[in-house]
Amino acid sequence: MQENTRQSVQAVAASVEQSSMTGQAFDQIIDMVNNSSQKVNEIAAACEEEAAQAAEVMSSVESISASSEESAAASEETAATCQSLAHLAEELANSAAAFKTN
């Protein structure tokens, strides 16, 4: 009988030890999950920041594109004005030639 009691006590002690080890394992798992969750949150925040910066870069590129288009249109207008001035200068030269005396 005493032997059975001793074995029961040992079995209970072993169960308590295993339960304690299981609790420690769960604590470690919880810590790992919390760390992983924190890393995921950091990655998500970095992705949001990167997306905001990409949107800002895109806006700047669009602004540069619009400025380039305006500059091209102004250049075309300047070229047309130069051609018109050249034509007017030629007409003026022809008109002035009519008043030349030999």
Side-chain angles (χ1 to χ4, degrees), residues 7-21:
Q7 287 178 352
S8 293
V9 168
Q10 286 176 346
V12 168
S15 293
V16 167
E17 185 177 343
Q18 287 179 351
S19 292
S20 175
M21 290 171 55

Side-chain angles (χ1 to χ4, degrees), residues 9-74:
V9 168
Q10 286 176 346
V12 168
S15 293
V16 167
E17 185 177 343
Q18 287 179 351
S19 292
S20 175
M21 290 171 55
T22 301
Q24 290 173 356
F26 279 134
D27 288 342
Q28 288 176 347
I29 291 169
I30 289 170
D31 288 342
M32 289 178 184
V33 168
N34 287 338
N35 287 339
S36 295
S37 177
Q38 183 179 359
K39 299 286 185 204
V40 167
N41 288 337
E42 290 172 5
I43 291 169
C47 287
E48 287 178 12
E49 185 176 325
E50 187 175 323
Q53 289 174 350
E56 191 174 321
V57 168
M58 183 64 167
S59 176
S60 296
V61 168
E62 288 173 352
S63 177
I64 290 169
S65 175
S67 295
S68 295
E69 288 177 14
E70 289 174 15
S71 178

Side-chain angles (χ1 to χ4, degrees), residues 87-100:
H87 181 67
L88 288 173
E90 189 177 324
E91 286 180 7
L92 179 62
N94 289 337
S95 294
F99 292 106
K100 276 190 179 179

